[in-house]
Amino acid sequence: MSHLSSLLRPASFRGVPFQVNGADLGVGRRVQVHEYPQRDQPWVEDLGRATREMSFDGFLIGTDYVDQANQLLAALETAGAATLVHPWLGSMQVCLSAPARVRFDSELGMATVSMSFVESGELAFPNPTSSTQAASRLTADGLASAAVADFSQSFTVTGFQSFVSSAAQGQLSTMLGFLGAGQIAQVLGTATTTANLITQAASFISNPAMLGQTLLGAFGLSGAAGSVAAWSSVVKLISGTASSSAMLPPGVNPVTRNDTPSRKQTNTNTGAVYGLGRQLLLAQAVGISSLVGTEQDNAQAGVTQPQAVTQQVTQDAMLAVRDTLLSALDAEMRLCGDATFDALQEVRSAVYLDLTSRAQSAARLTTWTPLETMPMLAIAYELYFDATRDAEILFRNGIRHPGMTPPIPLSVLAA
């Protein structure tokens, strides 16, 4: 008995004390094994941490061991979860998982209670919330569909003279050639496929719906999704391209009463081609805007920096992206057809709500001026107690000599 007493440690359940000399704890992960025909190895899906199970003996010793045991048994029979305090397992909320067994030993003056528990979490129900990012992506899809629908209704070469088809192919080649050159081509992944795209689009010149779908697929970002890091700069680039003068129909003579139907349709086709191009670009910009400020958007636009340096997208930067995109959407609403106008209104509301709400939790910039010339390492430690953030301040402010940073106002993240 004396030997056992020396090994015991105090514990309690629902505030009732007892003593323990150990514990048996079950821990692990919940998994689901998926087995497939003609495949030797299964795929194991991790479903999260397994519920912790524990069992041990509680000892009640002393002349009043029977009263102590009755108090513990009453606690074990009380409904609901309660706090278990164990010398090795700590404090946790648990429920009794099986009936406890009690043994009384009058010779030793001791009661032994065998107990098994499982940890008890909180009763919580899913809290439905709307994802502003998902809403932006949905409206982007709607804009793309509306743009193709408007294009299909206004663009046609069927039943007209051959020069109508030739003019349409020329306008397509001009627009796609512009998008196939420069930085926008790297983003759209069309830098090396422009010629093939022009040929493919020309083959559907008499099928407006297929032509619209072909351009929709070509304007996707599949070629850049794995390599682009600064989505905020991509939104600005695409928005600026869509609003540029190169994406407006070239000088078209005003339609007069004396113009032939073929001449009128040529003008209509030209406006439809460039309108579709602008609207598909804007649909991509809207979809990408949902990534601005996420973990995938951490590069500083236009700055070459080491791989290890990341720049958080600040509140001001997110609002600047929002305003640039909204300006481009507003400009397009003055040029588009009816179906696209309605889609643009929905897109505008979704973009404003998404970027405005998420910007509220983004990092804020502030201005800080060193009292004297200091190394950038010292400035980083002074501001954040973390000298490794020196490169972040360096690249944000374009400091050329980090060893001697002059006492000038620096743009830094608010601590």
Side-chain angles (χ1 to χ4, degrees):
M1 180 68 182
S2 60
H3 175 68
L4 175 61
S5 300
S6 65
L7 299 177
L8 297 178
R9 297 292 183 270
S12 67
F13 175 70
R14 210 182 291 272
V16 178
F18 54 92
Q19 299 183 69
V20 296
N21 65 347
D24 181 20
L25 178 65
V27 300
R29 306 288 296 178
R30 290 176 291 120
V31 298
Q32 176 66 48
V33 179
H34 300 274
E35 296 182 302
Y36 303 95
Q38 308 304 318
R39 183 180 295 179
D40 293 337
Q41 293 182 336
W43 174 61
V44 178
E45 181 181 7
D46 191 324
L47 302 179
R49 183 171 70 82
T51 301
R52 291 187 173 183
E53 302 175 349
M54 60 219 73
S55 59
F56 48 81
D57 289 337
F59 299 96
L60 303 143
I61 303 173
T63 57
D64 60 343
Y65 72 93
V66 175
D67 292 336
Q68 295 181 48
N70 288 331
Q71 291 180 19
L72 180 56
L73 294 179
L76 293 171
E77 291 178 333
T78 302
T83 302
L84 169 69
V85 179
H86 193 281
W88 294 285
L89 303 180
S91 176
M92 65 183 74
Q93 291 293 110
V94 298
C95 283
L96 197 66
S97 61
R101 307 289 298 181
V102 59
R103 300 183 300 278
F104 293 96
D105 191 327
S106 58
E107 292 186 6
L108 296 177
M110 177 179 69
T112 304
V113 182
S114 298
M115 297 170 281
S116 298
F117 296 97
V118 293
E119 65 175 338
S120 174
E122 297 181 357
L123 179 60
F125 296 96
N127 183 22
T129 59
S130 59
S131 170
T132 57
Q133 294 166 276
S136 281
R137 289 191 285 269
L138 285 174
T139 58
D141 292 340
L143 173 58
S145 298
V148 173
D150 265 352
F151 175 78
S152 301
Q153 291 179 2
S154 58
F155 181 95
T156 184
V157 298
T158 303
F160 292 97
Q161 293 175 291
S162 60
F163 74 82
V164 176
S165 177
S166 298
Q169 292 186 47
Q171 298 299 346
L172 268 173
S173 298
T174 300
M175 184 190 71
L176 294 175
F178 167 70
L179 296 178
Q183 191 176 2
I184 187 67
Q186 301 298 325
V187 174
L188 296 177
T190 60
T192 60
T193 61
T194 301
N196 292 335
L197 178 58
I198 292 173
T199 302
Q200 185 180 10
S203 66
F204 295 119
I205 201 71
S206 60
N207 188 335
M210 284 298 299
L211 176 57
Q213 292 296 330
T214 299
L215 295 181
L216 174 59
F219 281 27
L221 290 170
S222 58
S227 58
V228 172
W231 289 122
S232 50
S233 63
V234 172
V235 174
K236 292 183 178 180
L237 173 63
I238 297 180
S239 300
T241 301
S243 302
S244 67
S245 58
M247 289 301 294
L248 294 173
V252 176
N253 295 326
V255 176
T256 66
R257 298 174 61 184
N258 297 326
D259 278 341
T260 64
S262 294
R263 181 65 63 187
K264 293 178 181 178
Q265 189 60 43
T266 297
N267 289 345
T268 300
N269 288 347
T270 300
V273 166
Y274 280 88
L276 178 63
R278 294 192 307 271
Q279 292 151 20
L280 293 183
L281 286 175
L282 290 174
Q284 292 296 337
V286 170
I288 300 166
S289 71
S290 66
L291 297 175
V292 173
T294 65
E295 293 180 357
Q296 295 170 277
D297 186 19
N298 56 19
Q300 185 178 9
V303 177
T304 301
Q305 52 189 316
Q307 186 68 25
V309 178
T310 59
Q311 295 286 350
Q312 295 184 45
V313 179
T314 64
Q315 184 180 94
D316 291 342
M318 292 186 71
L319 295 179
V321 171
R322 180 201 66 184
D323 294 343
T324 298
L325 182 52
L326 292 182
S327 177
L329 294 171
D330 289 341
E332 186 58 30
M333 290 173 70
R334 295 190 288 268
L335 303 172
C336 65
D338 293 341
T340 308
F341 182 86
D342 293 339
L344 283 167
Q345 284 189 313
E346 294 184 9
V347 161
R348 193 187 193 286
S349 298
V351 168
Y352 181 86
L353 178 61
D354 177 41
L355 291 177
T356 302
S357 60
R358 290 194 294 115
Q360 301 308 310
S361 58
R364 291 174 172 82
L365 283 177
T366 187
T367 301
W368 185 82
T369 305
L371 296 177
E372 58 184 352
T373 299
M374 301 173 62
M376 187 60 72
L377 286 170
I379 291 176
Y381 189 81
E382 177 78 15
L383 289 170
Y384 308 117
F385 299 99
D386 184 359
T388 62
R389 295 180 64 176
D390 61 323
E392 169 193 325
I393 308 171
L394 171 71
F395 285 104
R396 178 174 288 114
N397 293 274
I399 302 297
R400 299 182 62 183
H401 301 290
M404 300 179 62
T405 304
I408 58 175
L410 299 175
S411 181
V412 298
L413 290 178

